Amino acid sequence: MSRLISEDSDWSFEIVERFEHELGRLAGEYRLDTYPNQLEIISAEQMMDAYAFTGLPVNYTHWSFGKHFIATEQNYRHGQMGLAYEMVINSNPCISYLMEENTLTMQALVIAHAAFGHNSFFKGNYLFRTWTNAEDIVDYMVFARDYVADCERRHGELAVEQVLDACHALMNYGVDSCRRPQHRSAASERQRQQAREAEFEARFNDLWRTLPREAVRDGREPPMRFPAEPQENLLYFIEKNAPHLEPWQRELVRIVRKVAQYFYPQRQTKVMNEGWATFWHYTLLNRMFEEGLVSPGFMLEFLESHTSVTFQPGFEDRRYRGINPYALGFAMMRDIQRICQEPDAEDRAWFPDIAGSDWLGTLDFAMRNFKDESFIAQYLSPRLIRHFRLFSILDDDTRDTLAVTAIHDESGYAEVRRQLAQQYAACNYTPDIKVQRADLRGDRTLTLRHTRHQRRPLAASANEVLRHAALLWGRDVRLEEADEAGAVLSTREVKSAVEDAA
């Protein structure tokens, strides 16, 4: 008697529910720990909406989201791009969006990938556990959307847009990478926001009103350093200390800062997160086939989609756009499973702690306790370095030529692995810029310092970003460029358009 869930390629809600049930059963056997699932079937247009809102369908409104939507729609309509088959929100319950245009196979793939793969990663990985609050993100975004809309009614769309534009330009500098953020419920956020507005309206900001005392003005008293230590979270510093921001503007800064914090773990776990989800959709659907729940035709369609997602063009291929995180992540997850189940002498030499161990426990530990940089440094094997034919190139600005410093051979494995792990370090994609000091007793200038990494200067667009910083700060903003030893190499300054009313 056939055990097939369906012999048709069309889906219905009943069949989707049956797939979710069977995939959930198998996920339980593999000890995947997930939030409860909430599946939403949406149209292609709604998926484009979700795209435009950076994956948060309940996000606040901003002109850039509309621009993104139009670009996506035009490319999609003209056949120049496809849409993702799924979108998933790190929330409890975990919300997965499935396109109604998908075939049954694609719906099953998406459920396995998003509802059990990404879902378990969100719940288990230490970065998501530490820096995001899955319980309240949806409620908070509803609060943020309503608050921005209310600000537009009270203060005008242009005024709100100006603040949001500036905040978005500085979004990468609205994150605490060391300090764990305090988690609040949406209800407590509303109470806190109302209480803070009332507080600001009731008192004057003594910090900025107080004129310098005589002893300070004549130089008898040394100037107070503020902040005492450089601050990495520029938006937080502006929110708390900018002299001219109104309470509602500070709240907008806070909203963008909270959204930036929400996306912070995703930037650091792209390889792991996609590799983990891809590994589990591959494993779960193959188990369904082994149990006779899906047909060979279903598997052929699934494997076609799977291989296109994990395809890695060579560096000389015109389609090459860097290392595909799906390909590398999936290969590493499969390789860890292999090292645990079928280790050879090389594996035992490179991975003595995991070779021959329980693969489910080893994979679970890796998923929970690493980010891309440390995951690659810990688990990338010589076998995969050979498989991907990885090599390292030294691009030194003080030399006239490039140098190949390591290839996929015995003497190059360690260096290739170290260099690839470094590519995923935060210092390689986000310039190190911190708040250095704020002049409280003089002209109120805010000084930022960029510490160059490997002598790389900022791009020409840095001046435009500084103008946004000056708009929020309300006074002049100075940027120091320093080398890695802390010596200041150059300084640039942007004047604020805000007049000092003090």
Side-chain angles (χ1 to χ4, degrees):
M1 180 179 176
S2 173
R3 297 189 63 206
L4 292 178
I5 295 176
S6 175
E7 298 184 11
D8 204 345
S9 62
D10 294 332
W11 62 269
S12 67
F13 289 106
E14 292 74 19
I15 295 175
V16 167
E17 285 181 3
R18 177 77 189 284
F19 267 98
E20 184 195 3
H21 172 77
E22 294 295 342
L23 288 166
R25 174 181 62 80
L26 295 173
E29 291 181 12
Y30 286 116
R31 308 200 295 263
L32 292 183
D33 183 21
T34 62
Y35 296 121
N37 275 306
Q38 178 177 325
L39 303 181
E40 302 277 351
I41 310 290
I42 62 175
S43 66
E45 186 153 325
Q46 288 171 315
M47 184 63 82
M48 285 187 277
D49 249 341
Y51 256 19
F53 280 100
T54 63
L56 283 172
V58 290
N59 211 340
Y60 54 82
T61 57
H62 184 254
W63 65 268
S64 63
F65 302 148
K67 177 185 174 185
H68 189 193
F69 176 85
I70 291 172
T72 302
E73 184 186 36
Q74 287 182 343
N75 287 332
Y76 177 64
R77 302 293 180 207
H78 295 156
Q80 295 171 347
M81 66 170 285
L83 292 179
Y85 300 110
E86 51 87 18
M87 191 160 287
V88 59
I89 295 181
N90 168 29
S91 60
N92 183 12
C94 182
I95 304 173
S96 299
Y97 294 92
L98 287 67
M99 275 210 307
E100 62 185 8
E101 289 84 354
N102 288 349
T103 64
L104 176 60
T105 301
M106 291 310 303
Q107 302 294 34
L109 190 158
V110 167
I111 295 170
H113 184 93
F116 294 100
H118 285 310
N119 186 348
S120 56
F121 193 87
F122 292 150
K123 190 175 182 182
N125 181 263
Y126 82 98
L127 282 173
F128 287 88
R129 294 200 314 270
T130 305
W131 271 273
T132 64
N133 184 6
E135 306 293 333
D136 297 308
I137 182 62
V138 174
D139 283 348
Y140 181 77
M141 292 312 301
V142 171
F143 156 76
R145 182 192 61 192
D146 294 345
Y147 187 83
V148 170
D150 185 51
C151 286
E152 288 175 342
R153 284 192 292 273
R154 286 190 290 155
H155 306 288
E157 292 182 5
L158 189 60
V160 172
E161 182 181 293
Q162 204 172 27
V163 176
L164 289 179
D165 284 350
C167 292
H168 287 181
L170 299 168
M171 207 165 179
N172 286 340
Y173 300 96
V175 172
D176 291 310
S177 64
C178 299
R179 186 180 60 180
R180 177 174 177 155
Q182 188 177 7
H183 290 165
R184 295 176 184 270
S185 68
S188 67
E189 283 286 352
R190 290 188 188 88
Q191 293 173 357
R192 178 207 52 76
Q193 177 265 321
Q194 291 167 358
R196 198 167 70 158
E197 282 209 12
E199 180 188 350
F200 269 101
E201 288 173 0
R203 70 179 174 84
F204 196 82
N205 189 334
D206 287 332
L207 178 67
W208 294 101
R209 183 183 61 180
T210 305
L211 293 175
R213 299 193 305 277
E214 194 66 32
V216 176
R217 285 200 296 267
D218 63 16
R220 283 181 285 127
E221 186 175 309
M224 180 179 68
R225 180 184 174 84
F226 183 78
E229 300 289 338
Q231 301 290 305
E232 65 166 345
N233 195 330
L234 177 54
L235 285 183
Y236 181 82
F237 188 84
I238 287 173
E239 176 196 333
K240 297 299 180 186
N241 301 294
H244 296 289
L245 285 184
E246 298 291 331
W248 66 271
Q249 293 172 316
R250 293 183 199 277
E251 192 62 37
L252 293 182
V253 175
R254 179 181 171 83
I255 286 171
V256 176
R257 181 169 67 78
K258 299 277 280 186
V259 173
Q261 195 78 56
Y262 171 78
F263 285 114
Y264 173 66
Q266 300 194 27
R267 288 161 48 196
Q268 299 195 72
T269 57
K270 184 71 174 175
V271 171
M272 288 185 69
N273 197 353
E274 295 301 351
W276 177 262
T278 304
F279 172 85
W280 282 112
H281 81 224
Y282 181 85
T283 302
L284 293 174
L285 291 180
N286 271 285
R287 269 290 303 276
M288 293 190 76
F289 180 64
E290 291 167 6
E291 294 189 2
L293 297 172
V294 296
S295 67
F298 176 102
M299 290 303 289
L300 283 175
E301 182 183 347
F302 155 65
L303 289 172
E304 182 183 6
S305 298
H306 171 80
T307 51
S308 64
V309 166
T310 57
F311 174 63
Q312 175 61 64
F315 76 93
E316 75 282 21
D317 193 308
R318 296 181 63 181
R319 294 167 293 180
Y320 181 77
R321 296 290 184 275
I323 295 179
N324 177 357
Y326 293 82
L328 180 61
F330 174 69
M332 288 188 68
M333 297 292 176
R334 290 273 291 167
D335 199 45
I336 293 172
Q337 182 186 29
R338 179 195 61 78
I339 292 170
C340 294
Q341 292 181 315
E342 302 168 359
D344 57 22
E346 184 180 60
D347 298 323
R348 292 189 186 282
W350 279 76
F351 305 101
D353 294 337
I354 68 171
S357 65
D358 167 49
W359 72 272
L360 278 177
T362 302
L363 264 183
D364 184 73
F365 178 84
M367 177 272 288
R368 290 179 183 277
N369 297 292
F370 292 86
K371 56 184 176 182
D372 286 347
E373 177 188 359
S374 54
F375 179 67
I376 292 168
Q378 182 73 22
Y379 292 108
L380 184 65
S381 70
R383 177 180 292 222
L384 278 192
I385 293 174
R386 290 193 296 271
H387 172 75
F388 281 97
R389 300 182 178 180
L390 299 176
F391 57 93
S392 170
I393 288 184
L394 176 64
D395 184 2
D396 188 336
D397 62 334
T398 63
R399 302 167 70 169
D400 294 331
T401 58
L402 301 176
V404 177
T405 56
I407 64 170
H408 40 274
D409 63 5
E410 192 65 35
S411 63
Y413 294 141
E415 178 63 11
V416 167
R417 183 163 76 170
R418 188 183 70 80
Q419 291 289 346
L420 184 61
Q422 276 296 307
Q423 283 192 19
Y424 294 90
C427 60
N428 274 306
Y429 53 80
T430 303
D432 178 9
I433 298 177
K434 292 186 174 67
V435 176
Q436 193 69 12
R437 58 187 174 275
D439 186 346
L440 300 184
R441 298 177 177 178
D443 60 4
R444 314 305 200 230
T445 296
L446 176 68
T447 301
L448 310 177
R449 177 172 291 184
H450 168 230
T451 303
R452 291 182 178 178
H453 176 61
Q454 296 177 344
R455 299 189 298 276
R456 280 181 290 187
L458 291 172
S461 57
N463 279 348
E464 187 62 31
V465 178
L466 281 182
R467 273 191 279 278
H468 286 297
L471 186 144
L472 292 177
W473 182 246
R475 309 295 305 188
D476 299 347
V477 174
R478 182 181 299 126
L479 177 71
E480 298 174 345
E481 293 250 14
D483 62 19
E484 291 178 276
V488 176
L489 306 172
S490 63
T491 302
R492 64 179 92 182
E493 188 166 322
V494 172
K495 297 290 182 183
S496 169
V498 177
E499 296 292 333
D500 188 1

